[in-house]
Amino acid sequence: MEVTYAIGIDIGGTKTAIGIVDSHGTICAKTSLPTDLTIDPHVMVSRIADAAKQLLAEQSLDERQIAGIGVGAPGPLNTKTGYIVKPPNMKAWHDFPLLNSLKRHFKLPIKFENDATAAALAEKWLGAARDAEHFIFITISTGIGAGIFSHGRLITGSTGNAGDVGHLVIDPSAGDCVCGQQGCWEFVASGTAIARQASRLLGRDITSKEVFELAQEGHADMKKLTEQAFRYIGIGCVTLINTFDPEKVVIGGGVSQVGEPLFSAVQDYVRSCALNPSGQSTPIVPAALNQDAGLIGAAALIHMTY
Ligand SMILES: [Zn+2]
């Protein structure tokens, strides 16, 4: 089969990754730029386009050899209109016509989905969900998001925002989330949430990674706090398993790097609380593509049928 190429662009609140990915999923070249939120987003898009063109030149590839450009970006967004709508960490990009801005630089087909949805497609293509026709990919880092793959298809929703599970309400007594509800999943169980709760308990700033280290060393309060966070992650997983009946749940993102303690706690919770017996045995597995999931996911939007 002839090898084709796609440009993948993964836009994040702090950095943007750009790469050329072939139809086997090999990253032929990649680079990244800091996402400068102090400048006009059109200027930032020009920088991204220049970087992509530079990669093409370095690989001696012509734009005509590129099947298209896949873009993953934080939501809320609108894939119907091509707008970035309201990502909380990117205020300068609110109501920004990303697709039109990119089209000024390229004549290629462009596909655009939210970053968690694109990362789910990457796990289907090359990662932990290759064998699954029904799975949920959950990313837990500064926030919580998901990509839903069901009946062999990616569930994007009408505007590309399906899978915004970070705002499932888990514990309404836990406090105010930015979205206007109380005790959302990412408000109680994201890396940001774990760090916030621990910093309050310890009276100093601490990262979620340090919290996990202290818990593993036997620090009683940090142990209790992480166990509670893992339980909340389990609660969200049970809701998703009961709703979508997946073959597996794939968890990625910075918080998942803690590994075994999280996966065994969530697996135990699912085993005892999912409603149907087959749901109780749903495997909860780590993502396989952590480092480049965003980039590969963006390129997968071009290489994969979804
Ligand atoms: Zn919320």
Side-chain angles (χ1 to χ4, degrees):
M1 207 173 73
E2 203 195 333
V3 179
T4 59
Y5 300 90
I7 296 173
I9 301 174
D10 178 34
I11 299 173
T14 53
K15 73 169 187 126
T16 295
I18 303 137
I20 299 169
V21 181
D22 74 17
S23 45
H24 299 301
T26 305
I27 299 174
C28 308
K30 66 173 177 176
T31 186
S32 77
L33 298 173
T35 306
D36 188 341
L37 299 172
T38 66
I39 59 171
D40 183 329
H42 286 293
V43 177
M44 189 62 220
V45 168
S46 296
R47 288 186 191 169
I48 293 167
D50 289 347
K53 285 175 182 177
Q54 170 116 32
L55 291 179
L56 290 178
E58 283 167 17
Q59 295 294 306
S60 308
L61 283 167
D62 193 279
E63 231 184 83
R64 281 167 301 185
Q65 292 166 274
I66 303 296
I69 302 175
V71 184
L77 43 68
N78 189 325
T79 53
K80 240 183 202 164
T81 59
Y83 271 62
I84 299 274
V85 176
K86 214 183 167 188
N89 301 330
M90 297 177 72
K91 291 221 161 59
W93 289 55
H94 285 189
D95 296 314
F96 173 62
L98 175 66
L99 227 52
N100 278 337
S101 189
L102 261 174
K103 280 180 183 163
R104 301 201 304 207
H105 301 276
F106 295 98
K107 291 192 173 55
L108 295 163
I110 303 176
K111 289 206 172 165
F112 170 43
E113 294 293 343
N114 87 59
D115 44 14
T117 298
L121 194 60
E123 291 293 331
K124 170 64 188 170
W125 188 21
L126 302 166
R130 271 179 288 191
D131 56 347
E133 293 301 301
H134 309 263
F135 72 94
I136 311 285
F137 167 77
I138 303 168
T139 174
I140 310 176
S141 54
T142 53
I144 298 182
I148 299 157
F149 197 88
S150 193
H151 297 271
R153 294 199 64 183
L154 203 52
I155 304 299
T156 60
S158 60
T159 57
N161 292 296
D164 249 340
V165 299
H167 300 278
L168 286 174
V169 172
I170 301 289
D171 176 5
S173 71
D176 294 335
C177 181
V178 286
C179 74
Q181 298 198 97
Q182 283 80 41
C184 292
W185 200 12
E186 70 174 36
F187 183 80
V188 297
S190 63
T192 311
I194 292 165
R196 184 192 68 238
Q197 293 154 0
S199 300
R200 195 187 303 137
L201 276 173
L202 298 175
R204 67 181 169 89
D205 281 345
I206 179 167
T207 64
S208 57
K209 190 162 175 272
E210 290 168 304
V211 174
F212 295 142
E213 283 162 8
L214 284 175
Q216 260 151 20
E217 287 161 18
H219 190 298
D221 285 345
M222 295 303 105
K223 217 163 161 245
K224 209 171 128 199
L225 194 154
T226 55
E227 279 164 7
Q228 189 190 45
F230 295 163
R231 185 165 174 276
Y232 287 143
I233 294 169
I235 293 174
C237 285
V238 163
T239 298
L240 292 170
I241 289 167
N242 289 346
T243 309
F244 291 101
D245 191 15
E247 294 160 75
K248 64 169 73 175
V249 173
V250 179
I251 305 182
V255 169
S256 72
Q257 299 296 313
V258 66
E260 198 276 331
L262 180 148
F263 286 91
S264 64
V266 174
Q267 190 77 68
D268 285 349
Y269 190 88
V270 166
R271 197 173 291 125
S272 46
C273 297
L275 191 61
N276 84 71
S278 70
Q280 288 161 10
S281 56
T282 309
I284 313 295
V285 302
L289 301 171
N290 274 314
Q291 196 147 30
D292 292 312
L295 192 55
I296 292 172
L301 299 173
I302 298 299
H303 288 306
M304 300 271 286
T305 309
Y306 61 94

